[in-house]
């Protein structure tokens, strides 16, 4: 291997990548930090100023190039802070993370302290700023001379500064970058480095030796091992999980749970899984990072796919305008209120106030599966470690304890940690501690820590590590329970990776419907939405790609854990009952593995040593961080032979690469997919220049357009697939759930689109706010009264404002977000969503008033494409509004259409109607004698299925030939057609005074043909086809069984055709022959027959007599329909058919070639009907009314 490759390999396995110092640049002086958002009313001593990266070593690395501006922004998010001796000067610690273009992550750990300002230029500049500030704020009440004189009288006040009396301090940050989240080790190293600066005595070696050591000579610990290296004042231990263990995660989950509580953490975790916009808020930067990293760590085996910035400084607050899912943390200034955050929209926002222990989740957030049991298990884990599950505890700031200076005590500490001390030696150590307390007041170390305190802090670190892994194992166990069989539902349809990538958008990689169909009903609401997230799609994509490339490390670990669980799972009963909650069984095993590594170091790195430095360099000056010698820190001296061996072993044994160190695999095929799916780079997001901000919002616009195209395509494919479900294929309840989930995603997309670039937030819903502004601009802000409701109904199909006003009249108690979703549901069901939004966007003046220039809605070309994609949804039918808002009142209009030749007969008939749907019926509605239509309001009936049409048989010509009945939903614009084609009246047809008609939803273009239906419903080619379709529908629990039973081509008409085949008749017209005549005549024949009677025969007679005795005048066709429906419901129809075939009357009534006389045909049909006995059939009330059986 050449020198360059060797250097790169060495860098990839080093413990640290960069060491950075940020602070004030004395050459450029003080520059106000305009992006900090601070008012100039504040004293200069309280303002923020621009910081600079003073030095960083090395200059750059190949895999992780150094981004100076981003590092400076993250190291000092609020810029430089100045203090005087009157202020608190406690050092602070925080961390951050940076993502690189190849998907890898680097973690930065920052120790910020205050250093006395020695630059006369800086002191003079601060004094001048303070004098100017004092004069400006007192000139209104006094003269300038008096104001200048008052400067001295205000000395000692908060925010005052006088160089003659005060000592000026400025913040300085020490930062170290590591490839893995070695939180504890990095914090200890930086803290020891700072303590060496503030110590009275100089450190044993120049600081360059320790920095060089950690940059170039301390390697990453091998997987499953721990490593000890040396800081300035003592040893430091770090460890890495081994194969089969969860990835490294040192951020204290116990602190996150203590701050928010178990309930809030589970709610926040649910929001992250469903990829809502998550906004964290706290005064403490480290709290932001702790909660953010804690939540993303718990997502295993899934990964957050969107914007991830746990710490965002003021210049980047424009990212809160991002119309994409994000996880962002911002610092709350002291005294700032919730309303001070300028959030463009909050329809899908989860706001987390860490300091006040509060989580505000979005509306309609589904419950995490087995949430109560999960909270109980997490609470038990927390209680074992002495933490309250309810949260709200104020955790003390975590500071790194100083290590011992004494070399003897240091060695003893190392031996104790490594388990090399026996009982006698431990006793000696205890006596030394007691002697030190008596002789020196308990202070053993230069930092003022007793040996006992050090032991206690080490125990606390070990306790926190064990708590971390146990909490993570609980969540990992839940995912293993939910997705233990996910591989069975992955669809492998492509032959190679290139073809899969080229057809990715039109390919289903996971059978979501089948997966949901085997899940407990209580889990479906959450799982249906989770399966639509990017993190789950990416997870499944990784599984598909694993056919041609190495698996993602996280997925490989998850799959191996699933295989292990299946291997050791001997509880067959539990495996058959997925509803049963099973607690995690690997808690203590995982904790013991970490405890073993932390108590005994497996490897020791090279100690820091003297470097080849110039004379005079590295001189100690108490309280001041020295100017480091660049030539010895710019590159390593290749003294780490152990690291070289590790690097070589890693090159020769790829299996030793552990899980989750990098999110990608060094594989060309996988990199192709990785770069294809990641659009926004964090390096671009952290750039606060105007050009970069413009480019970022340009990418947001492109992303919204692409998301709209994919969502509408997915909705069309899903809805078209639902048509096959209506024919009896698939799960109806699952399909409806998936449809609702997709519509919810569309509502979220529209909210984010309308929230992008919003000038000023007005309410939680950006879309509803725009609708109200448009309504006001149209001058129609009055609320409609009852007298004007009918006018509103007639204009609903055409006007945006009328739809908006109807939503406002709904007494549903909807929030602004709920009203916006109701409006979207209504427009989608009316097939006018694109048209309404286009009308809404025609008011250009209102758009320019509400939105910034970069907003999506002001990008004309993209906006038109967006509306075009939404227009494609008009090709399918939705009932989303009707089925969601079930308690509202809906106006209906019913029109009876007679046969055109006999339409005059309607003038003598006094008809009535009763409409039934999925949610109920309208009750009997009387229609005036001289009219053919009625308008009424009633509670939402859902999708209409049946209509009872009758008349009172009064008048001279109380009979009419009905073509069909049309029912119009005046809100949604849906039209239902109920074909009839029969006489209604005594003495004509079958003498029926009442008919039960079966409805069908008419497409918008079909209304003009509504009155042209003149024949009976078409017949099926084979009766068995209808029976099989009905059976399939029952097996899927499809809701609208009435259509399959009695509708066009249904089971009733198929059986009627079967029984009419070969029927002998002396009548001239076959249409006057009714099957019910044959069935009723059989009863008399059976009563007089000497054949042996059994249960089927008795039940047949009983049912026929009950139907004949019914008070309803439903005619012969209606009676036969009722006969078939009752036989199917009570599982008797398959028994009745052979009885009818064996009756003596059959031979006299049917020709020899009739199907009913063909024993093979009767047996085949009876066997098919018998398959329906396995299902429970619930008939609509309209079908069985008046018959008590």
């Amino acid at each position: 291997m050449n020198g360059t490759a060797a250097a790169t390999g060495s860098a990839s396995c080093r413990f640290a990548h960069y060491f950075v110092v940020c602070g004030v640049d004395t050459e450029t002086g003080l520059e106000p930090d305009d992006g900090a958002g601070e008012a100039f009313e504040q004293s200069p001593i309280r303002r923020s100023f621009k910081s600079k990266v003073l030095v960083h070593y090395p200059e750059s690395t190949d895999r992780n190039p150094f981004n100076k501006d981003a590092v400076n922004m993250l190291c000092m998010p609020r810029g430089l802070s100045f203090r005087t001796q009157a202020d608190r000067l406690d050092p602070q610690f925080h961390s951050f993370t940076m993502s690189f273009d190849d998907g890898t992550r680097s973690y930065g750990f920052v120790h910020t302290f205050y250093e006395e300002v020695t630059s006369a230029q800086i002191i003079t500049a601060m004094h001048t700023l303070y004098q100017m500030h004092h004069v400006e704020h007192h000139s209104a009440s006094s003269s300038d001379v008096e104001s200048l004189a008052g400067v001295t009288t205000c000395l000692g006040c908060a925010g005052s500064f006088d160089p003659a009396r005060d000592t000026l301090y400025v913040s300085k940050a020490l930062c170290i970058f590591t490839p893995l989240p070695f939180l504890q080790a990095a914090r200890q190293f930086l803290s020891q480095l700072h303590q060496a600066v503030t110590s009275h005595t100089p450190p044993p070696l120049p600081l360059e030796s320790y920095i060089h050591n950690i940059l170039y000579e301390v390697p990453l610990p091998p997987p499953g091992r721990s490593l000890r290296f040396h800081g300035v004042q003592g040893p430091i231990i770090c460890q890495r999980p081994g194969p089969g263990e969860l990835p490294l995660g040192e951020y204290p989950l116990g602190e996150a749970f203590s701050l928010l509580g178990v309930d809030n953490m589970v709610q926040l975790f649910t929001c992250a899984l469903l990829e809502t916009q998550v906004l964290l808020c706290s005064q403490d930067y480290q709290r932001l990072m702790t909660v953010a990293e804690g939540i993303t760590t718990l997502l295993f085996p899934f990964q957050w796919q969107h914007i991830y910035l746990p710490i965002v400084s003021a210049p980047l607050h424009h990212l809160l305008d991002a119309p994409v899912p994000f996880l962002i943390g911002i610092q709350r200034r002291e005294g700032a209120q919730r309303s001070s955050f300028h959030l463009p929209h909050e329809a899908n926002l989860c706001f987390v106030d860490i300091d006040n222990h509060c989580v505000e989740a979005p509306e309609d957030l589904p419950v995490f599966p087995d949430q109560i049991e999960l909270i109980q298990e997490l609470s038990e884990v927390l209680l074992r470690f002495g933490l309250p599950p309810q949260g709200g505890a104020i955790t003390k700031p975590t500071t790194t304890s100083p290590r011992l200076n004494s070399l003897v005590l240091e060695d003893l500490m190392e031996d104790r940690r490594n388990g090399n001390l026996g009982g006698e030696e431990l006793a000696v150590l205890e006596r030394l501690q007691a002697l030190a307390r008596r002789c020196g007041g308990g202070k053993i170390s230069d930092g003022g820590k007793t040996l006992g305190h050090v032991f206690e802090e080490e125990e606390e670190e070990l306790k926190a590590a064990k708590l971390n892994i146990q909490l993570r194992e609980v969540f990992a166990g839940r995912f293993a329970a939910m997705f233990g069989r996910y591989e069975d539902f992955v669809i492998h349809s492509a032959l190679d990776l290139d073809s899969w990538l080229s057809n990715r958008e039109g390919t289903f990689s996971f059978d979501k419907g089948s997966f949901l169909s085997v899940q407990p009903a209580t889990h479906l609401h959450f799982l249906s939405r989770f399966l639509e997230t990017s993190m789950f799609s990416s997870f499944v994509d990784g599984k598909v790609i694993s056919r041609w490339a190495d698996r993602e490390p996280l997925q490989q670990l998850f799959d191996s854990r699933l295989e292990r669980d299946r291997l050791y799972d001997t509880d067959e009963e539990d495996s058959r009952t997925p509803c049963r909650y099973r607690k995690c069984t690997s808690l203590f095993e995982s904790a013991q593995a970490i405890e073993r590594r932390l108590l005994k170091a497996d490897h020791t790195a090279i100690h820091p040593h003297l470097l080849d430095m110039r004379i005079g360099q590295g001189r100690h000056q108490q309280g001041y961080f020295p100017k480091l010698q660049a030539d010895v820190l710019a590159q390593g001296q290749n003294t780490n032979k152990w690291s070289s061996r590790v690097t070589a072993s890693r090159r020769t044994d790829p299996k030793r690469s552990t899980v989750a160190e990098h999110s990608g695999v060094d594989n060309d095929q996988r990199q192709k997919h990785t770069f294809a799916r990641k659009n926004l780079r964090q390096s671009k997001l952290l750039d606060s220049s105007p050009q970069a901000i413009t480019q970022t919002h340009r990418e947001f616009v492109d992303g919204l357009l692409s998301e709209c195209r994919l969502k509408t395509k997915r909705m069309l494919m899903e809805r078209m697939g639902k048509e096959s479900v209506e024919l009896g294929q698939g799960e109806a309840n699952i399909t409806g759930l998936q449809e609702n989930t997709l519509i919810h995603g569309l509502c979220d997309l529209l909210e984010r689109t309308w929230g992008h670039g919003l000038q000023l937030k007005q309410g939680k819903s950006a879309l509803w706010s725009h609708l109200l502004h448009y309504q006001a601009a149209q001058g129609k802000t009055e609320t409609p009264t009852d007298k004007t409701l009918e006018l509103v109904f007639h204009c609903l199909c055409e006007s945006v404002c009328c739809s908006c006003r109807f939503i406002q009249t709904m007494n549903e108690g909807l929030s602004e977000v709920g009203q916006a979703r109701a409006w979207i549901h209504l427009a989608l069901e009316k097939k006018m969503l694109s048209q309404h939004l286009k009308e809404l966007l025609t008011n250009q003046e209102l758009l320019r008033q509400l939105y910034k220039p970069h907003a999506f809605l002001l990008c004309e070309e993209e906006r038109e494409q967006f509306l075009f994609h939404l227009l494609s949804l008009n090709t399918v039918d939705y009932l989303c509004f009707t089925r969601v808002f079930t308690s509202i009142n809906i106006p209906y209009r019913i029109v009876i259409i007679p046969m055109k030749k006999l339409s005059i007969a309607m003038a003598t008939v006094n008809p009535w109607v009763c409409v039934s749907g999925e949610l109920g019926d309208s009750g009997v509605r009387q229609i005036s004698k001289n009219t053919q239509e009625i308008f009424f309001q009633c509670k939402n009936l859902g999708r209409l299925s049946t209509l009872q049409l009758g008349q009172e048989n009064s008048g001279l010509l109380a009979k009419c030939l009905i073509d069909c009945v049309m029912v119009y939903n005046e809100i949604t614009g849906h039209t239902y057609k109920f074909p009839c084609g029969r006489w209604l009246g005594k003495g004509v047809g079958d003498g029926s005074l009442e008919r039960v008609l079966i409805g069908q939803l008419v497409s918008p273009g079909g209304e003009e043909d509504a009155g042209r239906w003149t024949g009976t419903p078409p017949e099926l080619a084979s009766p068995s086809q209808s029976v099989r379709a009905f059976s399939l529908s029952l097996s899927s629990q499809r809701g609208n069984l009435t259509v399959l039973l009695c509708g066009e081509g249904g089971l009733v008409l198929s059986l009627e055709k079967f029984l009419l085949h070969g029927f002998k008749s002396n009548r001239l017209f076959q249409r006057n022959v009714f099957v019910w005549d044959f069935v009723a005549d059989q009863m008399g024949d059976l009563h007089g027959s000497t054949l042996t009677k059994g249960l089927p025969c008795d039940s047949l007679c009983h049912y026929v007599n009950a139907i004949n005795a019914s008070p309803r005048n439903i005619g012969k066709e209606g009676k036969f329909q009722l006969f078939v429906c009752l036989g199917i419901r009570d599982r008797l129809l398959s028994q009745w058919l052979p009885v009818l075939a064996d009756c003596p009357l059959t031979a006299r009534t049917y020709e020899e070639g009739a199907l009913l006389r063909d024993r093979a045909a009767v047996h085949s049909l009876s066997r098919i009907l018998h398959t329906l006995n396995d299902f429970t059939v619930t008939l609509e009330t309209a079908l069985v009314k008046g018959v008590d059986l």
Side-chain angles (χ1 to χ4, degrees), residues 31 424 718 755 764 767 777 831 916 1051 1163 1173:
E31 297 181 57
E424 297 182 1
E718 177 67 28
K764 287 193 172 183
L767 176 58
K831 299 189 177 183
S916 300
L1051 181 61
H1163 178 70
N1173 295 348

Side-chain angles (χ1 to χ4, degrees), residues 312-574:
V312 169
S313 58
L316 298 179
H317 280 192
H318 68 275
L319 292 176
L320 298 178
D321 195 23
V324 294
F326 58 67
L327 202 164
I328 288 178
I330 57 176
Q331 187 194 41
R332 176 204 291 272
R333 296 186 181 276
E334 190 172 354
Q337 300 298 320
R338 165 77 165 82
S339 58
S340 63
F341 298 104
H342 300 294
L343 306 173
H345 62 96
E346 301 179 34
N348 200 33
L349 177 72
C350 176
F351 182 80
V352 184
D353 189 343
I354 300 176
D355 299 334
N356 293 319
H357 329 296
C358 173
V359 173
E360 298 178 18
E363 295 181 17
D364 300 329
L365 183 72
V367 177
F368 188 78
D370 296 318
Q371 179 168 306
I372 297 177
E373 292 82 359
L374 174 63
I375 290 176
Q376 178 63 31
E377 184 176 6
L378 294 171
S379 301
E380 293 173 2
V381 174
L382 292 171
L383 288 173
R384 282 199 298 267
F385 286 85
L387 295 178
Q390 67 273 16
I394 305 299
T395 56
K396 59 182 180 181
T398 348
T399 56
T400 305
S401 61
R403 297 300 179 183
L404 304 179
N405 265 337
S406 167
L407 295 178
V408 176
L409 288 179
E410 177 185 324
D411 291 338
L412 286 174
M413 288 289 293
E414 292 179 15
D415 287 335
R416 176 186 182 275
R417 188 184 299 107
N418 294 337
N420 295 330
L421 288 183
E424 297 182 1
E425 291 87 349
L426 283 175
V428 172
L429 194 57
E430 296 287 345
R431 289 196 294 273
L432 282 174
Q433 179 185 2
L435 179 62
R437 285 200 187 99
R438 290 194 300 271
C439 299
K443 291 187 178 181
I444 301 179
S445 67
D446 188 52
K449 293 287 183 180
T450 66
L451 190 60
H453 290 162
V454 174
F455 289 167
E456 290 174 5
E457 289 172 353
E458 289 183 347
E459 292 297 331
E460 287 297 321
E461 291 177 9
L462 177 58
K463 177 181 173 182
K466 293 166 66 175
L467 174 60
N468 258 22
I469 195 63
Q470 291 195 17
L471 291 173
R472 294 173 62 198
E473 285 287 356
V474 170
F475 283 92
R478 295 314 309 139
F479 283 126
M482 288 189 289
F483 298 98
R485 299 287 179 180
Y486 85 96
E487 296 171 288
D488 298 340
F489 304 94
V490 177
I491 301 173
H492 300 282
S493 57
L495 298 177
D496 53 68
L497 182 59
D498 289 333
S499 62
W500 180 81
L501 288 174
S502 59
N503 299 311
R504 174 68 188 91
E505 294 180 1
T507 306
F508 289 110
S509 299
F510 192 78
D511 189 352
K512 299 174 183 178
S514 299
F515 176 80
L516 291 173
S517 66
V518 298
Q519 302 302 317
T522 54
H523 298 183
L524 295 180
H525 191 194
F526 169 84
L527 288 175
S528 63
R529 287 181 55 180
F530 178 68
L531 297 187
E532 299 297 328
T533 60
S534 296
M535 71 173 69
F536 183 78
S537 298
S538 175
F539 179 77
V540 173
D541 290 349
K543 187 64 179 178
V544 174
I545 294 175
S546 65
R547 297 176 62 193
W548 307 288
D550 295 336
R551 283 183 292 178
E552 291 265 5
L554 288 180
Q555 192 159 44
Q556 182 177 356
L557 173 58
F558 185 65
D559 290 347
S560 65
R561 290 167 73 96
L562 292 181
E563 293 174 4
R564 183 193 63 187
D565 292 344
R566 286 194 288 265
L567 182 64
Y568 291 101
D569 187 9
T570 58
D571 194 344
E572 297 182 1
E573 182 179 354
D574 279 358

Side-chain angles (χ1 to χ4, degrees), residues 1116-1141:
K1116 297 177 181 179
E1117 291 184 345
K1119 290 178 180 180
F1120 179 74
Q1121 175 177 286
L1122 180 57
F1123 173 78
V1124 174
C1125 291
L1126 292 175
I1128 289 293
R1129 184 195 69 180
D1130 298 335
R1131 302 178 174 88
L1132 296 171
L1133 188 61
S1134 61
Q1135 303 175 27
W1136 292 343
L1137 192 62
V1139 173
L1140 293 174

Side-chain angles (χ1 to χ4, degrees), residues 594-633:
I594 289 185
E595 185 175 12
R596 283 194 300 268
R597 291 193 292 268
L598 289 179
L599 291 180
K600 183 175 182 180
D602 298 301
H603 303 283
T604 302
I606 293 177
H607 285 239
H609 51 85
L610 282 174
L611 303 175
D612 187 13
M613 299 175 61
R614 295 191 299 271
I615 298 177
Q617 292 291 327
R619 184 176 302 173
H620 176 71
Q621 186 177 1
Q622 183 182 1
Y624 296 95
F625 193 81
K627 183 177 180 181
L628 300 174
Q629 187 169 332
D631 54 349
V632 298
L633 294 178

Side-chain angles (χ1 to χ4, degrees), residues 88-236:
R88 296 193 60 173
L89 302 177
D90 300 331
Q92 301 292 326
F93 175 84
H94 78 273
S95 56
F96 59 87
T97 180
M98 290 186 65
S99 300
F100 298 94
D101 290 348
D102 62 352
T104 59
R105 231 184 232 185
S106 186
Y107 292 84
F109 303 96
V110 185
H111 183 95
T112 305
F113 62 97
Y114 287 92
E115 188 177 71
E116 183 179 346
V117 178
T118 57
S119 170
Q121 177 186 355
I122 301 297
I123 295 174
T124 302
M126 179 59 69
H127 184 52
T128 303
L129 288 173
Y130 175 73
Q131 287 181 321
M132 294 171 60
H133 167 78
H134 187 81
V135 170
E136 289 175 1
H137 285 77
H138 290 78
S139 59
S141 58
S142 60
S143 63
D144 293 344
V145 176
E146 292 173 344
S147 298
L148 287 171
V151 173
T152 57
T153 62
C154 193
L155 292 176
C157 299
S160 64
F161 175 65
D162 181 10
R165 304 186 183 188
D166 297 323
T167 303
L168 187 64
Y169 295 88
V170 66
S171 57
K172 178 172 282 190
L174 307 179
C175 175
I176 188 171
F177 277 85
T178 64
L180 297 178
F182 293 118
L183 175 67
Q184 301 296 339
R187 178 161 48 197
Q188 291 176 19
F189 177 81
L190 293 174
S191 179
Q192 291 187 21
L193 208 62
H194 177 230
Q195 291 165 21
V197 172
T198 58
S199 174
H200 296 286
T201 58
L205 296 170
L207 295 186
E208 286 86 346
S209 296
Y210 300 98
I211 297 172
H212 180 277
N213 176 253
I214 200 170
L215 284 178
Y216 303 108
E217 298 174 338
V218 176
L220 284 174
R225 295 288 185 267
S226 56
L227 172 72
R228 178 176 58 194
F229 64 93
H230 286 263
V232 181
Q233 299 190 5
I236 300 171

